[in-house]
Amino acid sequence: MLRFASAIALALSLAACASTGVPAERTVAVTGSIAYRERIALPPTAQIEVRLDDVSRADAPATNMATQSFASEGKQVPFAFTLTVDRADIDPRHSYAVSARITDADGKLMFITDTRNSVTFESRPAIDLGTLMLVKTH
């Protein structure tokens, strides 16, 4: 059992290094899932995008810190996400938020977050935001 746990910890550390090129102890993982309340099935070609942005400057576009994009491949909500960021890129004076969107194959927006999902970075290696709810667009 101990070997199994050690193997998983090593695999997660290597995965963090491979995805960002930064040693795992210098990264922070922001995790959670996205869902929506409507009883509508997504098309198999739906595209999901989850972003972590620096939203500090009110008069300028947000600066993207991390993005995870993937196709639904016929799966339905909830979708889990993990956004990894280098601690050196985090400014404690700034504000950060996660947003998500689901589009169809043609890029037409279907669902989007409509509330601010703030992230407060501390000394923890992972921050779980729980489930972010998306709303249907018209």
Side-chain angles (χ1 to χ4, degrees):
M1 186 62 122
L2 183 58
R3 284 185 192 162
F4 180 70
S6 297
I8 288 178
L10 178 62
L12 290 174
S13 296
L14 292 174
C17 289
S19 63
T20 63
V22 176
E25 63 274 2
R26 283 194 23 214
T27 63
V28 180
V30 178
T31 62
S33 64
I34 62 167
Y36 52 83
R37 288 186 174 86
E38 289 80 1
R39 293 180 173 246
I40 301 170
L42 291 174
T45 56
Q47 299 292 311
I48 292 88
E49 179 184 71
V50 183
R51 297 173 49 107
L52 171 64
D53 293 321
D54 180 338
V55 294
S56 301
R57 296 175 22 199
D59 59 344
T63 302
N64 183 250
M65 304 292 291
T67 302
Q68 183 180 3
S69 299
F70 54 94
S72 68
E73 299 177 342
K75 296 176 184 146
Q76 301 299 317
V77 295
F79 293 106
F81 66 85
T82 301
L83 302 165
T84 305
V85 64
D86 185 344
R87 282 191 187 281
D89 295 336
I90 299 168
D91 185 334
R93 300 168 298 173
H94 287 203
S95 299
Y96 300 92
V98 171
S99 62
R101 63 189 309 136
I102 301 174
T103 58
D104 65 15
D106 297 326
K108 182 180 176 194
L109 187 61
M110 299 173 65
F111 294 92
I112 192 165
T113 49
D114 69 341
T115 57
R116 181 175 172 145
N117 300 288
S118 297
V119 179
T120 302
F121 290 102
E122 297 169 354
S123 60
R124 298 176 293 172
I127 299 165
D128 184 15
L129 295 180
T131 301
L132 308 183
M133 296 306 292
L134 283 68
V135 295
K136 187 175 183 322
T137 60
H138 299 286

